[in-house]
Each structure stands twice: as structure tokens, then as C-alpha cells.
Amino acid sequence: MLTALARTATRRPLTVMLLWGLFLLLGFGLGTGVFARLSDNVPEVPGTESESAARYLDEMDPAGSSITGVVAGTPVADAGLRAEVERAVADVRKVAGVAAVPDPYATPGMIAEDGHALIVPVTLEGGLDDDAEERTLDAAAERIREIEAPDVHVSGGPLLGLQMGERAAQDVKNAELISLPVVLALLLVVFGGLRSALLPLVVAVSGIAGAFLALFLFSEVTDISVYAIQVTTMLGLGLAVDYALLMLVRFREERRTTEDVVEAVHRTVAAAGRTVLFSGLTVAVSLTGLLVFPSVFLRSMGLAVAAVVVIDMLAALTLLPALLARFGGRIPPAKSPGNGEEEGRFFARVARFAARRKMAVLAVVVPVLLVLALPVAGMSIVVGDARQLPADSEARQLQDTVAAHFPPGTGVSPVVVVAKPGTDAATADRIRALAPGATTRELPGGGAVIEIRPPGEADGAEATALVERVREMRGDAPVEVTGTAARLVDFRQMLAERAPWAALTVLAGIVLLLFAFTGSVLLPLRTVVTTLLSLAAALGVVVWVFQDGHLAGLLGAEGLGALSLTAPPLIVAIAFGLAMDYELFILARMREARLRSGDDREAVVTGLSRSGRVVTCAALLLAVVFAAFMTGGFSPILQIGLGLTLAVLIDATVVRMLLVPATMALLGRHAWWAPAPLRRVHDRFGLREEQTELPREKVPSGV
């Protein structure tokens, strides 16, 4: 298959480039339409109690969504301001699609006790389609913003999702403007020529276009989170550069032994192309763990990111060979290993040191990684609110203004208890007594809705404890709980129940792929253990920074007491896949060296010396991409960006340069061991680099 791809790409390079050019236009044309379809409704999990109760409410008492306006910064009792607010309220009531706008001056609780702020809640009609709802939101919000006061902000409900989507689009644009020039500069340093440096960027831009197009197509059948744009774009850009870098380094090596550019491309695809293929498959398999969860958000993210990985892989295996066939003759070959290639000698010395002092390396590195991982034990997740946005965003300014002028809990989403027909009065009374100020409204058919305002945040500890208390005390009564806190409780339970199955799915897939790649049963297990160490260390630092608040200010963030529920599963899934990426880069070279020499210890040293520079450069480039997405100020993306940046850097340096040679030396020749039946299976079905294989009699036993 790889040979056929290479020959097609080199035989008709202009056709291949034209097809990818059309794909690029489609991605940046049609694909960018996904920005208008982003959703912030992350925590919903089909089949849970909170989702069932919400669906029942929609059927029995369909109500529209609501937004909130706040006017502050001046005495609201001023006659001129009051007249202006009343005119605005009257105008908003006339907007098509608006169901109700209470008079803030006549409604209790709408004016702050200090007299310097008031709230204007707007409720929309139920049953509006997306276009009608958006028109209503725009008209109502714009009219409220016309009120002349020092501070006027409008957000909440679906408007919050739209504002997050706009912020996501702006953050992606800024991150690309920052990362692409930096990546180009680093590639110039790595290759020493503009042509070589530009080729990975061409593949990377194709990956970004693929990210947009994949998300747009998925948005036709499912909700796409506001976080999806940044996550898929950063991964699409980073992996494209990684794969292109690996292929270019191999191409320059092949050019040392042949002046025929097309032949060098064929050899490159036959050797490094297989590593790219397996790498793409392992990253995609790592993300299939997200499909085990019933959460629409996690499933859609898993599918979208896996699709982007496949697009990057195809670009590296088709577009890049076509570009090399057309322009590769002007790319200089790599230096000969005997001409003082310092990078190779440096990584060889590091590998020999780690192999020679294997017990000392393990005794130092493993405890350090475990210490960094300790905060994970206290990790907590929340749905989050506007506080996750930067301070200059309108949604954040509205929430800060309300918090500054109104009592705690004002505007906080309530715990919603649905008492279906047949609920006895005593149970309903006990539920109402759980917190002061509970309100009740009747539903058609004899049911009722009890809304309880938690004392803290909508998804805080008090709110989730309230949900669990209601569920404990309801007995056999037909009572269900929904709302933000209930969704969080159900989301946490879903993670706890499905995480072991997700992990088992991913590990089984990774072990099978690595066995097919190496022919060993011990190498996959060693790889999983060392990868989990680096992953836990990176996640521990994220908890220490964003949950506990240490050094968060340096990133323009603050400690929120918990992580966004989107961050941990995405960090774990994506970082695990990237770690497999670098593992395969190294194992491919180690296996080549072992096939040539039969010396297990030297194979480790040679493999690391020949792959260390590629892995380090790839990790640095990927870290630049991830770090660029930390400039936007959106807390969940900051968390994901920091987690992935640390995971990549720790894995590519400490783990791959020290732990890998140390553990390989500890295992010795047994590292490549497999039982005889499995070895025969691998001999028949396993895949390997065609250009580096030796005659059968020269292959060491056990391969």
C-alpha cells in the first residue's frame, strides 16, 4: 500500500498537489462554517437521570432559554437612567421571539442593595429554531447594550455559547499567527534551508484545513464543543509538522546514497512512511478510548481528533512525497555520520550513560515523576462558568459585576427537582426543606418542579452535595434531579464507570499495534508504563497550577479550585497518543540497528542517536504549537495547552532519552522477546521497514 501511494504521488505530483489544493480551499471555505455551530453544552450525557429529567421538562413545560443583562457603575435610581432602562425593556419585549422581560424596578432582587447595579433578565419563547433564536438574541442584546451607563454587559444562556465560539475563533487565529512564524524559524534552524522548512508548513496547513472540515462535517450530525476548534487545530498543526519532519529527515538520509530523487522518495515512504502509518494509527487508537464514553462531547471530540490525525497521516504519505518529487532535488542531503554530526554523538552519549547507569537513572527519574504526579490524587472537575473566560470578555465582566453587587448565589443555576405525578407531599416537603428559598411551580398532569438555589457556585461542592442528598432521600418516589450540578454528578459517575473500559480498549489496541510493529510482547508493556509516568507528571502539574492556583497568574489565569471537566480526559487521550508517536520514532531506529548488528545494547544507542534529534525537534515544535494556544486566556484551553506542552516535553526528554535506554538495558535481549507462537504470527503478519531488512540468516533470533 505504501509503495503504491509513493509511486502514485511521484508519478503524478501535480495532480496530487492540485487535489490537496482543492481540499485546502474546501477546508478553509466550507470548514470554517463550524465556528457558527459551536456549543458550550458539554456535560450532558444521554441516558443519565439529569438528561431524562430535562427531557421530561421540555415535553411537559417547554420554555425558552434566557439571557441576562446587567447595568452598573452608577446609581440606578437616577431618573434619567431609569427612564432609559424602562424604554429598553419595552423595546426588548417587542422583539420577535422574546417571551418575557420583567421590570427590574418592580421585581424583587433585580436591584443591588448598594443601588449601583440592576439585572435585566430576558426569557425567549420556546420552540425557536436556531436561526430565529440567534436573531432574537442579537436584537435583544444589542438593545440592552444601548443603555448609557458605565458598565453594561449581556451574556448567559445561548449567548454565552456564542461568545465562547467567537473567543475560540479569535484564539485560533492568534495562535496560528504566533505559532506558524516560530515553527518556520525553528525549521529553518533544523534544516538550514527555506525549501526544507516550508514543506512541513504546507503539510501543517493541510492538517488545519482538515481539522476545520472534519469538525464541520461532524457538526452536521452532533454537537461540537467550543473547545474542539483549539484542540483539533493544535493537534492537527503539531502532528503534521511531526510527520513531515520525520519524512524529511529520512529523505535527506536516503539522498546520501542515491542521486535519483524519485528513488529517494520511494525509499523514504517505504521506511519512514511505515513509522508514520503506525504512529497515526496509534494516536487514533489512543483517541478511540473517548468513544467508550456515552458523552456526546467526548465522543465527538474523539472522532474529530482521530479524523484530523488520519488527514495528517495521509498528507504526509501523499502530499509530501509529491512535493519532494517536484522540489526535492534542491534539498541538500544529510551529513554523513562520519562527518562530525554532533547531534548524533550527543544522544549516543546520553543513551550510553543511561544504559550504563540504569539503576541510578531509574532511582532518580521515577521518584521525581511520581512526586510531580502527586496532585492528581486530589484532582476535582467542574462544569465551569464565565470565570473560565479572560477578564476582558463580556461574559466574565457580567459575572464579576453581579458578584460584586449582589448576594452570593445570585444568578446561579438552581438544582432542579422534578417531582413527577405520584410523588407524595411529605417527600416534596422534605426536599423543599433542604435549603431556604426553594420555589415550586406546578406542571401539567399533576407534577411539579422544585428549584433549590445552592449556597455556592452552580457546580460547587454544596450544589453537588445537594443533588446527592435529594437522590438519597427520595426513596421510591418518582423524583428526578437535573440542572448544572446534577449534570456534573452524572458526568463524574460516567467517567468513573467507563474510564476502566476506555483504558482497557486503548491499552489493548496499543499493545496489538506495538506488537505488530516490534514483534515483542514486553516492549508494549514497558512503553505503556513509562508513558503513564510522564502523563501523570504532566497532569499533576496542571492540577497544581490551575486547581491549587500556584503560578497560575503567570499564565493569565487563576486557581479555580478544580479543573474543567473537559481538560483531564482530553489531556490523557491526546498526550498518550503523542507519546506513542515518539516511541515509534525511536523503536523504528532501534529495530533497524538491531537487524543490522544483532547487538541489543548498541541497537539502543544507535537507535537513540539516529532518532534523538528528530524526536527532540518534533517535541520542541509541538510544544511551540501547544504553547501558542495558551495565549488566549480561556482557562480550559490553558489547562489543555499546559498539560500537552509538559507531557510532550517530559516524554521526549526525560522519558525517551533516559528512561527508555535505562529500561531497555535492564531488559536486555528480553526486550524483544515473544513466545514462539506469537513470533510466528508476527513473522507472517507483522509489518516492518522494507528498506532496512537484512537477509533472513542475518536477522537475530527472537525478531
Side-chain angles (χ1 to χ4, degrees), residues 480-505:
E480 293 182 330
V481 189
T482 187
T484 302
R487 290 190 183 99
L488 176 60
V489 170
D490 291 341
F491 195 92
R492 287 173 174 171
Q493 183 178 353
M494 177 268 299
L495 286 179
E497 291 175 352
R498 296 298 184 97
W501 294 105
L504 185 62
T505 301

Side-chain angles (χ1 to χ4, degrees), residues 69-435:
V70 63
V71 179
T74 187
V76 296
D78 177 80
L81 179 60
R82 177 167 184 164
E84 193 169 341
V85 170
E86 289 175 345
R87 283 196 299 271
V89 168
D91 290 342
V92 173
R93 286 172 179 164
K94 298 175 184 177
V95 173
V98 170
V101 187
D103 182 352
Y105 288 96
T107 306
M110 295 294 99
I111 296 179
E113 291 183 3
D114 62 10
H116 283 71
L118 62 80
I119 293 173
V120 183
V122 180
T123 302
L124 276 59
E125 296 176 354
L128 295 177
D129 59 38
D130 291 341
D131 292 337
E133 182 180 81
E134 187 172 349
R135 287 194 299 270
T136 302
L137 289 173
D138 290 342
E142 189 58 36
R143 180 62 187 91
I144 294 173
R145 292 188 184 109
E146 291 175 358
I147 297 173
E148 293 187 7
D151 295 314
V152 180
H153 310 294
V154 189
S155 187
L159 193 57
L160 176 61
L162 292 174
Q163 291 168 344
M164 285 184 170
E166 292 171 359
R167 185 74 194 201
Q170 186 61 43
D171 286 353
V172 167
K173 181 179 178 181
N174 292 340
E176 290 171 354
L177 291 175
I178 293 171
S179 62
L180 288 176
V182 177
V183 167
L184 177 59
L186 291 173
L187 288 171
L188 282 171
V189 173
V190 172
F191 291 112
L194 185 60
R195 290 187 183 89
S196 301
L198 284 175
L199 291 182
L201 285 188
V202 173
V203 178
V205 172
S206 302
I208 294 172
F212 291 161
L213 188 58
L215 289 174
F216 180 82
L217 294 176
F218 282 120
S219 72
E220 293 286 333
V221 294
T222 185
D223 288 338
I224 297 296
S225 168
V226 293
Y227 312 114
I229 290 294
Q230 286 117 326
V231 172
T232 53
T233 302
M234 70 170 74
L235 190 64
L237 176 60
L239 279 179
V241 172
D242 269 9
Y243 295 157
L245 181 64
L246 177 68
M247 296 281 285
L248 275 171
V249 168
R250 188 64 182 232
F251 173 75
R252 294 180 68 198
E253 289 181 5
E254 296 295 344
R255 288 275 287 144
R256 284 202 305 252
T257 58
T258 178
E259 294 183 359
D260 189 329
V261 173
V262 172
E263 178 62 23
V265 172
H266 291 171
R267 293 183 182 181
T268 298
V269 175
R274 291 184 179 272
T275 304
V276 169
L277 175 64
F278 268 87
S279 175
L281 290 176
T282 53
V283 177
V285 166
S286 299
L287 295 164
T288 59
L290 296 176
L291 304 182
V292 174
F293 299 103
S295 164
V296 174
F297 161 72
L298 291 178
R299 284 186 170 182
S300 64
M301 288 293 289
L303 288 171
V305 177
V308 171
V309 172
V310 172
I311 291 169
D312 280 347
M313 180 179 69
L314 290 176
L317 295 176
T318 57
L319 175 60
L320 186 59
L323 292 170
L324 289 174
R326 194 84 171 91
F327 307 108
R330 300 176 182 179
I331 296 176
K335 295 179 181 179
S336 172
N339 291 342
E341 201 169 12
E342 292 295 332
E343 296 88 350
R345 286 213 294 265
F346 168 76
F347 291 110
R349 286 197 295 267
V350 172
R352 285 197 176 91
F353 167 80
R356 193 164 51 245
R357 301 283 189 269
K358 52 185 178 292
M359 298 310 297
V361 169
L362 294 173
V364 172
V365 173
V366 173
V368 169
L369 294 178
L370 290 176
V371 168
L372 292 176
L374 285 177
V376 175
M379 183 179 68
S380 178
I381 60 172
V382 294
V383 176
D385 50 33
R387 291 179 303 158
Q388 294 179 331
L389 286 164
D392 62 350
S393 64
E394 185 173 21
R396 174 65 180 274
Q397 289 173 344
L398 182 143
Q399 180 157 327
D400 290 346
T401 301
V402 171
H405 293 279
F406 290 87
T410 301
V412 170
S413 300
V415 172
V416 181
V417 182
V418 180
K420 295 182 179 180
T423 303
D424 59 282
T427 299
D429 290 340
R430 287 197 301 272
I431 292 172
R432 278 190 288 267
L434 289 175

Side-chain angles (χ1 to χ4, degrees), residues 358 520 522-523 525-527 600 660-673:
K358 52 185 178 292
S520 166
L522 293 181
L523 279 180
L525 299 178
R526 191 271 305 159
T527 297
D600 294 295
V660 167
T663 52
M664 291 291 287
L666 188 65
L667 292 172
R669 64 186 303 272
H670 300 295
W672 303 90
W673 175 84

Side-chain angles (χ1 to χ4, degrees), residues 601-662:
R601 175 69 65 88
E602 273 309 304
V604 173
V605 174
T606 302
L608 194 57
S609 69
R610 301 193 68 184
S611 63
R613 184 175 182 236
V614 176
V615 169
T616 303
C617 291
L620 181 59
L621 292 168
L622 204 55
V624 166
V625 173
F626 292 153
F629 281 85
M630 295 167 59
T631 61
F634 192 18
S635 184
I637 298 302
L638 290 177
Q639 295 168 26
I640 295 170
L642 179 63
L644 294 179
T645 300
L646 291 175
V648 165
L649 293 178
I650 292 173
D651 193 85
T653 54
V654 176
V655 173
R656 302 302 157 201
M657 301 304 154
L658 293 175
L659 275 189
V660 167

